[in-house]
Amino acid sequence: MLEKFRSLAIGLCLFVIVIGLAVYFMVQIGGGDSLFGDESGTLETVEFETLPFDGDETGYLLCPGTLCKAATTNGPAARFEVDAGTLRLALADYVDNMPTIRTYSFDPVNNQFDFLERLPGESIPAVLTVRILDIDGYSSSLVIYSRKPIGDSKPGEHEKRVTRWLTILTSRLAS
């Protein structure tokens, strides 16, 4: 009797393990969306012209006052002495080579892009909305807004993220 029970328990455990592995692999290859939902989520499009930002610690915004009229920015947009196309290529090159950054959406007409960045140890990604502005054909500026739509942010976290992005883009454009 004990042998039958032990054989039944081992068989049941193997069955549960096989089912668990099947579900795991199904989700990993993208077939589990109907079971567990998908990764896309929804984000509202950032309209810089009407963005109600008050310069607090839940985000970080670098934007010219002429564009972000309804916001209290943390500073002006970063200026680069390259045309908008070159800045866009440098941004795309940086994002494509970073495994922690994923492109969420892009609007090529307005030169506006949304990126999700999840650094190691973070459970919820930060959202960076970037708009490239052409100033005069020889220079451009980068409007950047970093935030976490859900979850808590540590003080200065978004400022460090934006500073890191701008430092890397500046060094890529200098070489």
Side-chain angles (χ1 to χ4, degrees):
M1 179 72 177
L2 188 58
E3 277 301 313
K4 281 186 173 183
F5 178 73
R6 187 169 44 180
S7 297
L8 182 63
I10 290 172
L12 185 61
C13 288
L14 288 174
F15 179 73
V16 168
I17 290 171
V18 167
I19 294 296
L21 285 172
V23 168
Y24 173 77
F25 286 118
M26 184 176 72
V27 169
Q28 290 300 314
I29 61 174
D33 291 349
S34 61
L35 292 176
F36 302 105
D38 60 11
E39 295 179 0
S40 64
T42 56
L43 281 176
E44 291 183 23
T45 303
V46 172
E47 298 291 338
F48 284 106
E49 296 82 5
T50 59
L51 180 66
F53 183 75
D54 61 0
D56 62 3
E57 293 181 353
T58 61
Y60 195 76
L61 174 65
L62 296 180
C63 184
T66 56
L67 178 63
C68 299
K69 297 175 183 166
T72 303
T73 66
N74 296 102
R79 184 181 173 114
F80 295 91
E81 297 305 320
V82 296
D83 63 282
T86 304
L87 180 57
R88 184 177 43 240
L89 287 174
L91 178 67
D93 184 46
Y94 168 60
V95 169
D96 288 344
N97 290 312
M98 291 298 295
T100 58
I101 301 172
R102 189 170 62 98
T103 303
Y104 181 78
S105 68
F106 61 93
D107 178 4
V109 173
N110 292 319
N111 263 345
Q112 185 164 317
F113 311 91
D114 288 311
F115 302 105
L116 303 178
E117 181 179 48
R118 181 177 303 180
L119 296 175
E122 289 183 351
S123 58
I124 299 172
V127 179
L128 286 101
T129 300
V130 174
R131 183 182 286 183
I132 299 171
L133 302 174
D134 186 24
I135 296 175
D136 60 11
Y138 300 103
S139 58
S140 54
S141 62
L142 187 75
V143 177
I144 188 165
Y145 177 39
S146 174
R147 70 211 181 275
K148 280 192 178 176
I150 58 171
D152 293 330
S153 299
K154 297 175 187 163
E157 171 185 348
H158 296 289
E159 181 179 3
K160 290 177 188 173
R161 178 175 286 109
V162 169
T163 303
R164 178 173 39 83
W165 277 52
L166 293 176
T167 302
I168 290 170
L169 284 173
T170 302
S171 68
R172 284 178 181 261
L173 291 168
S175 56

